[in-house]
Amino acid sequence: MKGTDHSDELAGKKLTLTDKIYQDIKDDISSKAFQPGEKLNIKELARKYQVSDTPVKQALQRLAEEKLVVNTPNKGMSVRALTPHELQDIFDMRLMMDTFFIKDIVTTLNYNQALRQQLLDCLEAQRKFVETDDSNHKPDEFFELDMDFHTLYLAASGNQKAVDVFRDLQPFTYASGTYVSQPHYRDCECVDEHQAILDAALASDLDALVTAVTTHLNNSRKALQLIFKVNQMVYHE
C-alpha cells in the first residue's frame, strides 16, 4: 500500500488506515496525479491503495469536508476544479477581509501577548522551512504554515466568521494544483511579505499594514494566476 513513508504517528497520535488513505489521496492531488475535475472512483482507489472500500469512503468524506474534493449528486466524488473567476473572487474576498479588520487586529496584538507570540513562532517556522528548501518537496506542509499565519492574523480581528470564510476559501487553490505548483522562490517571498505584515501590525502602523497586506495578496494573486494558466494549458494538451 502506498503511504508507508508517512510516519505512523502525527502529533503523538497513532494514524489509522483512514488517516493514511486520506494523506495518500491528498498527496496525489497535490502532486497532480489526480487532475482538477477528475472523478475519484471508490473501488478504483481501493485497488490503487490495496485496501477495502470503507477507508477510502471515509478519507474522501474528510477531503470533501476540507473542500478538496466535491461530492456531486448522481455523479460521485471528483477533485475540486477552480476557474479563473473563482480565483479572482477568492483574492478579492481575502483583500477585503484582511484590510477591513486592521484596526481591530492591531489593537488585539497590542495586548494579546499569546497571539502575538504565536504569529512570531509561525513566521519563524516558515523561515526555517523555506531555508531548508523543503517547500518544493513538501508543499502541503508549507501550505499549512501559510494557513496558520493568515488564520492567526484574522483571529486577531475577533471575528470568527471571517476566520471561517478564510478557511473555506483557501483549500480551493490547493485542490486546483495552483498553490502546490508555486516555485520555491515565491514561497521565500511570501515569508518576507508575512514579515512585513507582522512588523507593520506590531508597530501599529495602519497605513504600512494596508500596504503590506495589499502587496502580499496582489503578488500571490498574480503568481497563482500565472500558474493556473500554465496548468490549464498542460491539462488541455
Side-chain angles (χ1 to χ4, degrees):
M1 183 183 74
K2 184 187 169 189
T4 54
D5 59 331
H6 292 300
S7 170
D8 284 340
E9 295 195 8
L10 182 62
K13 181 180 179 181
K14 188 172 180 62
L15 296 180
T16 65
L17 183 58
T18 297
D19 292 331
K20 291 180 179 179
I21 301 304
Y22 157 84
Q23 190 61 54
D24 285 342
I25 299 173
K26 190 173 182 180
D27 287 347
D28 281 337
I29 290 173
S30 71
S31 67
K32 290 176 285 189
F34 297 135
Q35 302 290 352
E38 182 175 346
K39 186 174 180 179
L40 298 173
N41 182 278
I42 292 172
K43 292 194 177 298
E44 289 179 2
L45 291 174
R47 285 194 294 271
K48 175 182 174 67
Y49 302 123
Q50 300 176 20
V51 295
S52 66
D53 291 358
T54 299
V56 173
K57 290 178 182 178
Q58 294 171 340
L60 287 175
Q61 183 57 44
R62 285 174 59 181
L63 290 164
E65 291 171 358
E66 293 181 7
K67 308 281 195 300
L68 295 181
V69 303
V70 180
N71 189 2
T72 305
N74 302 319
K75 292 185 179 180
M77 296 280 196
S78 60
V79 179
R80 181 175 292 280
L82 185 71
T83 68
H85 183 71
E86 285 176 317
L87 187 62
Q88 186 76 7
D89 286 349
I90 287 169
F91 278 98
D92 285 346
M93 285 291 295
R94 289 190 57 191
L95 184 59
M96 180 180 68
M97 291 190 301
D98 284 11
T99 55
F100 181 81
F101 294 109
I102 58 169
K103 289 184 179 180
D104 294 328
I105 289 169
V106 166
T107 298
T108 298
L109 293 180
N110 273 331
Y111 72 81
N112 191 325
Q113 184 176 353
L115 184 54
R116 186 165 64 244
Q117 190 59 50
Q118 283 181 282
L119 276 162
L120 289 168
D121 291 345
C122 181
L123 188 56
E124 179 62 20
Q126 288 181 38
R127 196 168 295 284
K128 287 181 179 179
F129 192 79
V130 297
E131 285 174 355
T132 64
D133 200 29
D134 271 346
S135 59
N136 273 344
H137 308 294
K138 302 175 182 177
D140 56 329
E141 292 186 23
F142 188 74
F143 176 80
E144 292 300 328
L145 288 171
D146 183 77
M147 283 282 290
D148 287 346
F149 180 85
H150 287 286
T151 298
L152 289 167
Y153 172 86
L154 274 176
S157 72
N159 191 307
Q160 184 59 45
K161 288 297 183 183
V163 174
D164 292 342
V165 169
F166 168 72
R167 286 175 173 163
D168 284 343
L169 289 175
Q170 199 63 352
F172 279 66
T173 56
Y174 186 97
S176 69
T178 50
Y179 185 93
V180 296
S181 299
Q182 183 166 279
H184 179 69
Y185 76 83
R186 178 57 199 155
D187 293 337
C188 295
E189 290 176 347
C190 284
V191 176
D192 289 338
E193 290 165 10
H194 289 166
Q195 183 72 63
I197 290 171
L198 189 53
D199 287 347
L202 297 183
S204 301
D205 190 332
L206 300 185
D207 290 338
L209 182 53
V210 170
T211 298
V213 166
T214 302
T215 297
H216 173 56
L217 292 180
N218 283 342
N219 285 346
S220 293
R221 185 202 305 257
K222 290 176 184 176
L224 294 183
Q225 283 176 332
L226 178 59
I227 293 167
F228 184 86
K229 289 179 181 178
V230 172
N231 284 347
Q232 288 297 102
M233 291 170 62
V234 172
Y235 298 153
H236 288 92
E237 282 184 353

